[in-house]
Amino acid sequence: MPYNTPAFSFKWLSSSILGLGSAFMLTACATTGTASPGQTSGQTAKTSPAPQAKNVILFIGDGMGISTITAARIFDGQSQGKKGEEHELAFDTFENVALIKTYNVNAQVPDSAGTATAMMSGYKTNIGAINVPPALLEARSADVCNPAALPDTMTQRAQSAGKAVGILSTARITHATPAAMYGHVPLRDLEADTDIKGPFAGCSSLAQQMVGSQAEVIMGGGSKEFSNAQMQTLKTDFIYVDTKTDMKRAKTGKLRGLFNRDHMSYEADRAGSQEPSLAEMTSVAIDRLGTDKDGYVLMVEAGRVDHAHHDTNAYRALTDAQALNEAVKVAKAKAGADTLILVTADHSHVFTMAGYPVRGNPILGLVKGFNRETRTIDITEAEDGKPFTTLGYHNGPNVREADSPALTDNMVQDKDYRQQTAVNLNYETHAGEDVALFATGPGAEKVRGVMEQNKIYNVMAAAMGWED
Ligand SMILES: [Zn+2]
């Protein structure tokens, strides 16, 4: 299972998260309630007193940049026998769209912890931190390990308002994005109790904070991050399931599901397992959360689009983006008109789509262009005389070298193929350009223009009638 190894570690961050006041001046313009550069005046307006939306569903494709969306749209269309470019994903029809600026307070190209904080807490923070303000990190305050001293998150506000909360991810449930729905930690690496050491000795692990969460539904992967005692608590204090079958027939109560020791399988590898699809998890979550008369907040993360991109494996990135699209279809069908639905990415990847392929060319295939002289459609050759693919990455492990073998369509359309890259890194990186936000439902009209990522929080808060 070469694609199931969590190859990338954020351990390198631990020295830079605390202290080192670099770029700290950015904090002031990135905090809730302060006008930000690039912000249009309408987005900082006070919230309306009357709630517009009873429920909010936030879909996050981890690493699902705009090039990923375009390629996934074509991939999904071609999987239905179409040319693909004209196809529409479920969220392509949402009426409200914005560009989102994803940078972290101290990072031009962000990570998922800082970006999840922006969405869940309404302020930007340092790369690697989850729901801890940058000022406390820079000051090395002991409060970074004291959730009670930290600003409330959207989840805490929703629960105070009587709303039910659901948290779904195909990644480990202690991974950065889902963790931001229930936890506060100065460093995302603090997933298990065994990760608590050194400068973070006073912190509570994300596994421990997840066990303490009173959200109605929490499901994903990552059971290995939980101690025996924590697993026992999940099984005695909650309705605990670890198979798709048990998830679907679970009795009422607070539901906890962990379907894999590590991240859940990629959608491309899930067949024959007892792991539910993201759409199946979304369906169960909406059914259960929908019984709360006060409404609900649900976060659904396609967590592994990101991991496949880090491995420069476009096939699995696109099939996981396709799985997110299926989950959005479920939400559109099941959630009522009183539900605000948002679809976004936390950050992009260095993933490109290029080369003048003809209309309908297989999106994973070699570039085939129209030859004006022979009036035929031919494989396009690069300066080295060899073909190349439409999809590629700026950096990553499979560098195109002079002695690289000539590619064939069979090679590049294999699900294990890793697209070629320019810069040699053993793990492809995130990208820093804006991502898209698509919105429909009550309150969605605030999604427009170019927005700071933390303003997504304000859109959700305003829809639910909360003061900023
Ligand atoms: Zn990543």
Side-chain angles (χ1 to χ4, degrees):
M1 299 287 280
Y3 291 101
N4 254 333
T5 36
F8 190 53
S9 167
F10 273 83
K11 303 291 181 197
W12 61 272
L13 284 168
S14 56
S15 59
S16 64
I17 292 297
L18 296 174
L20 305 183
S22 59
F24 184 50
M25 71 287 290
L26 288 174
T27 313
C29 66
T31 308
T32 311
T34 310
S36 306
Q39 200 67 42
T40 58
S41 57
Q43 282 148 8
T44 51
K46 281 292 157 201
T47 56
S48 56
Q52 301 167 275
K54 182 179 178 189
N55 314 308
V56 173
I57 305 177
L58 173 63
F59 286 94
I60 300 174
D62 197 313
M64 191 177 71
I66 291 174
S67 56
T68 304
I69 292 172
T70 306
R73 177 190 300 136
I74 296 171
F75 182 82
D76 193 52
Q78 291 184 343
S79 70
Q80 297 173 21
K82 302 177 182 175
K83 286 185 186 297
E85 297 84 359
E86 76 290 359
H87 182 60
E88 286 182 336
L89 295 171
F91 46 92
D92 280 338
T93 54
F94 288 7
E95 322 80 52
N96 304 279
V97 180
L99 288 175
I100 301 298
K101 297 161 70 176
T102 64
Y103 66 93
N104 298 145
V105 166
N106 63 347
Q108 197 167 55
V109 176
D111 90 312
S112 297
T115 57
T117 300
M119 290 184 270
M120 311 312 179
S121 279
Y123 58 84
K124 293 199 179 204
T125 190
N126 288 356
I127 191 167
I130 296 174
N131 295 332
V132 177
L136 294 179
L137 296 165
E138 302 289 343
R140 296 172 178 255
S141 164
D143 280 344
V144 299
C145 290
N146 178 14
L150 299 170
D152 279 354
T153 64
M154 174 174 64
T155 292
Q156 291 166 302
R157 291 182 78 174
Q159 289 172 331
S160 297
K163 291 186 187 295
V165 171
I167 306 166
L168 306 178
S169 178
T170 48
R172 292 193 298 273
I173 204 66
T174 50
H175 215 242
T177 309
M181 285 291 291
Y182 61 78
H184 299 77
V185 281
L187 181 67
R188 57 182 290 171
D189 283 345
L190 309 181
E191 293 186 55
D193 282 359
T194 50
D195 298 322
I196 304 295
K197 51 195 161 199
F200 309 110
C203 294
S204 173
S205 71
L206 288 164
Q208 184 61 38
Q209 295 186 58
M210 187 282 226
V211 168
S213 169
Q214 292 305 306
E216 271 59 30
V217 179
I218 306 181
M219 297 195 289
S223 61
K224 73 182 174 75
E225 304 297 332
F226 294 79
S227 69
N228 290 340
Q230 288 162 345
M231 282 305 296
Q232 201 51 47
T233 305
L234 288 178
K235 289 172 180 173
T236 53
D237 292 6
F238 302 94
I239 312 294
Y240 180 80
V241 297
D242 57 9
T243 66
K244 172 168 62 177
T245 307
D246 286 349
M247 176 189 78
K248 287 183 172 173
R249 65 184 180 202
K251 58 182 194 284
T252 54
K254 292 184 193 297
L255 182 64
R256 299 292 178 267
L258 296 175
F259 304 104
N260 196 306
R261 274 181 47 74
D262 203 337
H263 301 302
M264 290 176 67
S265 296
Y266 287 112
E267 180 63 22
D269 306 318
R270 194 175 58 80
S273 78
Q274 262 292 337
E275 297 180 54
S277 69
L278 194 61
E280 288 169 327
M281 291 198 285
T282 301
S283 177
V284 166
I286 292 175
D287 285 347
R288 300 175 79 97
L289 297 168
T291 62
D292 192 303
K293 63 174 171 42
D294 300 307
Y296 62 84
V297 172
L298 171 63
M299 192 286 297
V300 181
E301 188 205 25
R304 306 213 66 198
V305 174
D306 179 70
H307 301 154
H309 275 329
H310 281 304
D311 282 333
T312 62
N313 177 222
Y315 182 87
R316 284 180 174 80
L318 298 185
T319 43
D320 268 38
Q322 200 178 22
L324 175 76
N325 185 52
E326 294 303 312
V328 174
K329 286 182 193 171
V330 167
K332 282 173 73 175
K334 285 206 164 193
D338 51 3
T339 303
L340 170 64
I341 302 178
L342 305 165
V343 180
T344 191
D346 47 359
H347 56 76
S348 186
H349 271 269
V350 293
F351 179 60
T352 61
M353 176 182 157
Y356 307 116
V358 293
R359 176 76 192 279
N361 197 51
I363 188 64
L364 290 163
L366 298 174
V367 171
K368 294 182 205 69
F370 184 69
N371 186 325
R372 288 176 203 166
E373 289 168 20
T374 61
R375 305 198 65 76
T376 52
I377 294 171
D378 302 331
I379 287 179
T380 307
E381 291 178 352
E383 292 300 318
D384 59 7
K386 295 173 188 169
F388 58 97
T389 53
T390 305
L391 302 179
Y393 293 86
H394 172 64
N395 60 43
N398 185 17
V399 180
R400 185 180 178 98
E401 308 272 19
D403 58 354
S404 293
L407 301 173
T408 67
D409 254 321
N410 267 351
M411 286 167 63
V412 302
Q413 296 194 45
D414 188 275
K415 70 177 185 176
D416 290 334
Y417 181 67
R418 294 181 178 206
Q419 275 69 19
Q420 291 178 324
T421 72
V423 175
N424 187 5
L425 292 182
N426 70 356
Y427 209 50
E428 179 264 12
T429 70
H430 298 172
E433 82 276 8
D434 298 349
V435 297
L437 170 64
F438 305 82
T440 190
E445 68 283 354
K446 286 193 169 63
V447 170
R448 56 186 55 247
V450 179
M451 298 170 62
E452 293 287 349
Q453 192 164 40
N454 50 306
K455 294 299 172 185
I456 297 175
Y457 174 95
N458 298 75
V459 169
M460 297 187 288
M464 289 184 284
W466 301 341
E467 294 290 326
D468 270 347

